[in-house]
Amino acid sequence: MDIDLIFKIAAIGIIVAVLNQLLIRSGREEQGMMTTLAGLIVVLMMVIQQIDILFDTIKSIFQL
């Protein structure tokens, strides 16, 4: 796992948190929730890709 992935996830988290707070303070709670949900989906997709790479590596190591 590369350290860049951790920085990308942290950056997405910070951006989503700031956007969420801005939207909530302006009275748009629904858009704030959707922003948070979109950020979560983006991060989950990044993690799923890394898990797929991990499984491919394990398969190649054990020749499955």
Side-chain angles (χ1 to χ4, degrees), residues 1-10:
M1 185 170 83
D2 201 15
I3 193 77
D4 291 337
L5 179 66
I6 296 171
F7 287 139
K8 287 179 186 176
I9 292 173

Side-chain angles (χ1 to χ4, degrees), residues 10-62:
I12 291 170
I14 291 169
I15 291 169
V16 166
V18 169
L19 285 174
N20 188 18
Q21 288 299 315
L22 286 174
L23 288 169
I24 287 176
R25 296 210 189 268
S26 66
R28 298 180 178 176
E29 290 84 14
E30 294 85 14
Q31 285 89 1
M33 182 61 72
M34 291 306 239
T35 303
T36 304
L37 187 61
L40 178 66
I41 290 171
V42 168
V43 169
L44 284 177
M45 292 302 293
M46 292 168 60
V47 171
I48 287 171
Q49 288 174 354
Q50 292 300 315
I51 291 172
D52 184 45
I53 292 171
L54 173 67
F55 284 154
D56 288 339
T57 304
I58 290 173
K59 283 181 184 178
S60 67
I61 288 174
F62 293 111

